[in-house]
Amino acid sequence: MKIGVLGAAGRMGRMLIRQIHETDGCTVAGAVDRPGSVELGRDAGELAAIGPLGLVVGDDPAALFKLADAAIDFTAPAATVAHAALAAEHGCNLVIGTTGLTPEQLAELDRAAQKIAIVQAPNMSVGVVLLTALAEQVARTLGPDYDIEILEMHHRHKVDAPSGTALALGQAAARGRAVDLAASSVRSRDGHTGARPIGTIGFATLRGGDVVGDHSVIFAGEGERIDLTHKAQSRQIYASGAVRAARWTNGRAAGRYAMRDVLGL
Ligand code: NAD
């Protein structure tokens, strides 16, 4: 299967080139970064530190979509939306890891997904997708007698909080409990907060060092506690999940899919 990389010069893009190259039955079909990037013209394999592939980084996504069976996009929201429309025009399936898409931008992806298969997920880690499904199931089973707290830790450079994954875990827990997350969440606590309101879903954020991403969903009841925890040790897990999703799109009907579809959850 021929898989192209959009955002090839980025941190994830480089890992994706390596991951595709090292996956049996897959070849890197093309590598594209933004016009003006200093990495344009460089060999994609050298960028990914795997030795030359004879494939230079370009800035023409249409050329990539013509060649590839599927493409993986870890860029930025506006670029991703433009890529999705172009991929749909060329009939090239797309895996989208870019985060921070607005509801309007997600609606644009839905338009493109009328013509191609799109897998879009803010966290491509197979482990996190599983954790999310488990959080929903446990919340449903335990009911409101158990207090739900979501704890996350990321490296010192992360600029937003709570993480998109923590929020997705909160959504899953809220779904399990059949409540609205926005109406039930407590995003921070400081000073005299009073007792914990029953039925709320709390968030706590830690930042420091080079932590790739830790997430826990804690269900605290009277006399027992269940902690569901995932710890990412390398960003490679996002690349391997994305390549798995790209392979899954092969022969798939048009539509917008999530990682839980890829995993059959
Ligand atoms: P990065 O800044 O290192 O890389 C982004 C790359 O995209 C850069 O090389 C940039 O030049 C390129 N780019 C920007 N506009 C472009 C365009 N129009 N055409 C082609 N390339 C363009 O960032 P990163 O850490 O690799 O993350 C990229 C995105 O992926 C972010 O939104 C991040 O939050 C997200 N991410 C998602 C997951 C997941 O599992 N879904 C995991 C990690 C990161």
Side-chain angles (χ1 to χ4, degrees):
M1 186 173 175
K2 290 177 284 179
I3 305 175
V5 178
L6 299 151
R11 276 169 297 184
M12 284 307 304
R14 293 169 197 240
M15 285 197 160
L16 286 161
I17 293 166
R18 172 190 283 267
Q19 186 70 35
I20 296 165
H21 180 67
E22 289 175 354
T23 302
D24 277 349
C26 294
T27 53
V28 184
V32 165
D33 211 87
R34 66 178 165 76
S37 163
V38 292
E39 309 294 0
L40 294 183
R42 279 192 65 189
D43 186 282
E46 280 175 356
L47 214 55
I50 52 173
L53 286 178
L55 188 78
V56 294
V57 179
D59 63 358
D60 181 3
L64 182 151
F65 293 137
K66 273 183 208 153
L67 276 174
D69 300 311
I72 303 176
D73 183 324
F74 281 66
T75 57
T80 294
V81 169
H83 290 152
L86 205 55
E89 243 175 67
H90 289 89
C92 179
N93 291 333
L94 197 59
V95 173
I96 297 172
T98 307
T99 58
L101 294 153
T102 64
E104 293 73 29
Q105 289 171 324
L106 290 170
E108 296 283 329
L109 299 190
D110 283 332
R111 254 189 291 284
Q114 289 170 3
K115 292 197 178 141
I116 54 170
I118 294 182
V119 178
Q120 181 261 328
N123 194 315
M124 294 272 170
S125 148
V126 166
V128 165
V129 178
L130 205 52
L131 177 72
T132 310
L134 287 172
E136 181 172 345
Q137 191 188 338
V138 175
R140 182 174 298 120
T141 307
L142 294 179
D145 289 345
Y146 287 71
D147 299 326
I148 303 177
E149 293 285 312
I150 296 168
L151 174 67
E152 59 107 334
M153 179 161 187
H154 282 85
H155 52 87
R156 61 166 71 106
H157 304 292
K158 187 162 177 64
V159 293
D160 55 318
S163 70
T165 300
L167 290 171
L169 288 166
Q171 291 287 4
R175 258 196 318 278
R177 257 194 189 171
V179 296
D180 177 35
L181 180 65
S184 337
S185 65
V186 175
R187 298 276 284 259
S188 65
R189 297 185 182 101
D190 187 28
H192 184 80
T193 60
R196 188 184 197 283
I198 290 168
T200 49
I201 297 176
F203 288 85
T205 299
L206 307 180
R207 291 285 175 265
D210 61 354
V211 175
V212 175
D214 294 352
H215 292 90
S216 292
V217 186
I218 300 164
F219 297 85
E222 298 267 350
E224 68 177 351
R225 201 173 91 194
I226 297 170
D227 292 1
L228 302 177
T229 296
H230 178 272
K231 294 188 178 189
Q233 273 140 354
S234 155
R235 291 164 69 94
Q236 197 65 42
I237 57 172
Y238 309 124
S240 63
V243 172
R244 181 165 170 169
R247 300 179 82 190
W248 181 87
T249 64
N250 215 8
R252 195 72 46 189
R256 180 144 76 87
Y257 301 95
M259 277 304 277
R260 63 178 171 276
D261 299 311
V262 175
L263 300 188
L265 291 169

